């Protein structure tokens, strides 16, 4: 009897919290705000029920089909202009194929698919039971429309290799201009839209065939998803999910402490210092890495597409870049910069199927000093900073102002480098622009579920563009050959060894063991305050960004009894 009263009180308290006007006030014109809920004192009044209404136990169980998430909603729900691997896309939309938690490609809307021997024709057989959230069937023509329309849009997903999309009875046939090993990974990120409904207002009125549907969207405040009753897959146990705008760590912390959210993002600093009754700390491993990108060409030796001077006279010294890379104790960076919540990083894709484990290097200060002295860097005036030809080994290191994690990691790295090898990194937060990143060292973050990231980071065709790829102006003919061959391989499986060779083939590569255009530092853990009893399922290793990778498997979440 006592347990039933406790459950009854809990159900009522949670209902009151969910009904508070706080949800609407989270995003006033002044930005995200929170207010403490009113204190509930005394015994709750007896609940009134219809004769056939559920008892208190059933009411408590009903509450446990909902979740409130402290992640800011998107401003656009059109999947054809969003990238599906790290966005809301997989909540509302289905793709022909998808990733499982072990980073394998498995069927989704397509119950099966085949690839021709020349790797130019992909044939997808659609499952017959798929419906959109309005009850209308998903037709092969919807898939063709989606891909044909996407070819006309500016999107982060690469389908430039796609030539034509045609229909063969219930099959969708895609022909490529040339083989592309990563094409199937791109397919996994593209949400299918209904041809009959897609138009100018679709971005705010989405219709998909995924596990959830959008039922409410309050601009700059919240969005509410409910389970799609027409979803063909496993029925989600979470029937309703409320996403509340929370733009900073302090706001999220207050929301968790006051019980307003069931799960929300937090930082390593707050995770280290904070314990919240009724919540646990969820730690998810990632390929969300931080690294120092240093221009590898001399200053003013080239100009970008926008006419900005490129290059840096300190960063262009390969021995100096490698000396920094080898001098660093990366576990110390994790401990000092991330309070222990992370792992040492050695590439942009540590642990992924296309990663080369030979990219790992051990800290070796003696070797770092040897590299510097071979290149002519000595401290001749005894001030602790090396110089060469009258030029000090001192260079700015910029990070995005306001990013406390990047700031902390940068400061830790700068301290080590100055003390160990006499190279000075002057850490400064700023508004990083294309004009800056093509000529100065910057701490950037990468990490994706697609090896194409490596292609754009290091291929010579990316030099001088303003898309954040290859700001270091790296170009190497041997590595270009590996990257081209990997990208155009007949299948992802055939491409794996080529991606690995591009990182290190025993002589050269993009890794710190090779040409070292990037000095990789840490992979940060993604951290969340999670209410006790909420099970967030088996998560795929998280890509860059700690919001949407968390909820991509929302259909697998549930409340434990």
């Amino acid at each position: 009897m006592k347990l039933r009263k406790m459950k009854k009180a809990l159900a009522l308290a949670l209902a009151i919290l969910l009904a508070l006007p706080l949800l609407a006030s989270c995003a006033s014109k002044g930005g995200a705000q929170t207010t403490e809920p009113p204190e509930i004192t005394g015994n709750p009044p007896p609940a009134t029920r219809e004769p056939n209404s559920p008892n208190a136990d059933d009411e408590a169980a009903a509450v446990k089909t909902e979740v409130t998430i402290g992640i800011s909603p998107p401003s656009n729900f059109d999947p054809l202009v969003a990238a599906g691997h790290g966005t809301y896309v997989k909540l509302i939309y289905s793709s022909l194929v998808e990733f499982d938690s072990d980073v394998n490609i498995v069927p989704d809307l397509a119950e099966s698919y085949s690839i021709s021997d020349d790797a130019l024709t992909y044939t997808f057989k659609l499952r017959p039971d798929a419906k959109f959230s309005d009850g209308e069937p998903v037709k092969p023509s919807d898939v063709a429309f989606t891909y044909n329309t996407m070819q006309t849009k500016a999107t982060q997903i690469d389908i430039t290799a796609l030539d034509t999309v045609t229909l063969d009875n219930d099959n969708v046939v895609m022909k490529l201009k040339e083989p592309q090993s990563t094409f199937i990974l791109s397919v996994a990120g593209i949400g299918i839209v209904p041809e009959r409904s897609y138009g100018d207002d679709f971005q705010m009125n989405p219709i998909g065939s995924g596990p959830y549907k959008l039922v409410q969207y309050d601009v700059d405040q919240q969005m509410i998803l409910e389970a799609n009753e027409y979803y063909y897959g496993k029925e989600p146990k979470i029937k309703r999910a409320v996403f509340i705008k929370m733009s900073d760590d302090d706001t999220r912390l207050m929301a968790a402490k006051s019980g307003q959210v069931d799960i929300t993002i937090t930082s390593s600093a707050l995770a280290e210092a904070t314990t919240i009754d009724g919540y646990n700390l969820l730690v998810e491993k990632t390929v969300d890495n931080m690294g120092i990108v240093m221009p590898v060409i001399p200053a003013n030796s080239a100009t970008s597409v926008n006419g900005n001077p490129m290059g840096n006279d300190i960063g262009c010294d390969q021995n100096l870049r490698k000396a920094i890379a080898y001098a660093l104790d990366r576990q110390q960076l994790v401990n000092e910069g991330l309070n222990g919540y992370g792992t040492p990083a050695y590439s942009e894709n540590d642990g992924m199927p296309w990663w080369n484990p030979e990219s790992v290097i051990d800290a070796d200060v003696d070797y770092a000093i040897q590299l510097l002295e071979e290149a002519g860097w000595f401290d001749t005036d005894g001030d602790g900073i090396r110089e060469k030809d009258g030029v000090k080994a001192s260079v700015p290191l910029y990070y995005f102002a306001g990013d406390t994690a990047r700031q902390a990691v940068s400061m830790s790295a700068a301290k080590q480098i100055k003390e160990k090898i006499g190279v000075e990194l002057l850490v400064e937060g700023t508004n990083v622009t294309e004009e800056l990143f093509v000529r100065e060292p910057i701490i950037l973050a990468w990490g994706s579920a697609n090896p194409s990231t490596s292609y754009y980071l290091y291929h010579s065709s990316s030099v001088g563009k303003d898309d954040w790829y290859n700001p270091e102006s790296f170009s190497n003919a041997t590595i270009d050959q590996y990257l081209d061959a990997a990208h155009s391989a007949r299948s992802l499986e055939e491409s794996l060894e080529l991606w690995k060779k591009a990182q290190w083939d025993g002589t050269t590569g993009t890794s710190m063991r090779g040409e070292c255009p990037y000095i990789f530092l840490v992979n940060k853990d993604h951290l969340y305050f999670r209410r006790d009893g909420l099970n967030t399922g088996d998560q795929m290793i998280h890509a860059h960004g700690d919001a949407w990778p968390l909820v991509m498997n929302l259909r697998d979440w549930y409340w434990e009894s």
Side-chain angles (χ1 to χ4, degrees), residues 7 90 97 158 160 240 360 434 503 505:
K7 289 183 177 180
K90 293 302 292 182
V97 296
D158 180 15
T160 54
R240 180 181 172 91
V360 174
E434 186 260 354
Q503 296 162 57
D505 66 358

Side-chain angles (χ1 to χ4, degrees), residues 136-403:
E136 293 297 317
V138 180
K139 299 179 291 186
S141 57
D142 294 313
V143 177
F145 172 80
T146 296
Y147 278 78
N148 287 329
T149 303
M150 194 167 186
Q151 287 182 299
T152 69
K153 301 261 187 185
T155 176
Q156 297 180 41
I157 297 183
D158 180 15
I159 58 169
T160 54
L162 181 62
D163 187 15
T164 63
V165 183
T166 58
L167 305 180
D168 179 15
N169 295 320
D170 291 333
N171 297 329
V172 178
V173 180
M174 300 186 189
K175 290 190 178 295
L176 306 188
K177 303 168 189 173
E178 57 188 11
Q180 187 182 77
S181 63
T182 58
F183 180 73
I184 195 65
L185 302 182
S186 296
V187 170
I190 298 174
I192 304 304
V193 300
E195 180 178 7
R196 70 188 183 283
S197 303
Y198 189 81
D200 293 338
D201 63 343
F202 189 82
Q203 63 182 8
M204 290 294 113
N205 297 279
I207 298 174
S209 55
Y212 292 91
K213 59 184 179 182
L214 180 69
V215 297
Q216 183 174 331
Y217 178 67
D218 301 320
V219 177
D220 209 30
Q221 296 182 38
Q222 67 174 355
M223 75 172 181
I224 300 176
L225 303 181
E226 290 184 354
N228 174 13
E229 62 268 36
Y230 296 106
Y231 180 54
Y232 51 83
K234 182 178 68 175
E235 182 180 356
K237 293 184 178 180
I238 298 296
K239 305 299 184 185
R240 180 181 172 91
V242 180
F243 292 76
I244 306 174
K245 179 178 179 179
M246 294 186 173
S247 57
D248 61 76
D249 290 333
D250 289 338
T251 301
R252 298 180 188 113
L253 177 62
M254 290 172 60
K257 282 187 171 181
S258 59
Q260 297 161 18
V261 294
D262 297 310
I263 189 167
T264 192
I265 304 163
T266 191
S267 66
S268 61
L270 290 177
E272 177 71 9
T274 309
T275 300
I276 303 176
D277 289 342
Y279 287 76
N280 57 80
L281 183 67
L282 174 64
V283 180
E284 291 292 347
K285 295 302 178 183
T286 79
V287 287
D288 194 344
N289 57 72
M290 299 182 198
I292 301 171
V293 56
M294 303 186 78
V296 301
I297 60 175
N300 302 312
S301 59
T303 56
S304 71
V305 66
N306 293 324
N308 291 309
M310 298 162 57
N312 185 283
D313 287 334
I314 303 296
C316 69
D317 189 321
Q318 180 178 304
N319 272 31
L320 185 141
R321 298 195 307 271
K322 294 183 69 169
I324 294 173
Y326 273 91
L328 287 168
D329 180 337
R330 286 169 174 76
Q331 188 58 51
Q332 184 177 337
L333 294 181
V334 171
N335 295 340
E336 293 179 353
L338 298 175
N339 295 290
Y341 292 110
T343 57
Y346 302 98
S347 77
E348 70 279 8
N349 50 37
D350 292 1
M352 301 302 282
W354 41 86
W355 174 57
N356 188 342
E358 293 184 20
S359 298
V360 174
I361 59 173
D362 295 323
D364 190 337
V365 176
D366 291 339
Y367 178 55
I369 292 173
Q370 176 187 330
L371 288 169
L372 289 171
E373 294 181 349
E374 286 178 356
W377 294 97
F378 294 92
D379 180 11
T380 59
D381 58 10
D383 69 348
I385 308 299
R386 294 175 182 268
E387 64 269 354
K388 175 182 179 181
D389 299 330
V391 177
K392 289 286 185 182
S394 177
V395 66
L397 173 59
Y398 293 101
Y399 68 92
F400 288 86
D403 191 322

Side-chain angles (χ1 to χ4, degrees), residues 482 486 492-502:
Y482 287 135
L492 184 62
E493 289 71 25
E494 289 186 14
S495 74
L496 295 181
E497 287 305 312
L498 292 164
W499 293 117
K500 293 177 182 179
K501 283 187 175 182

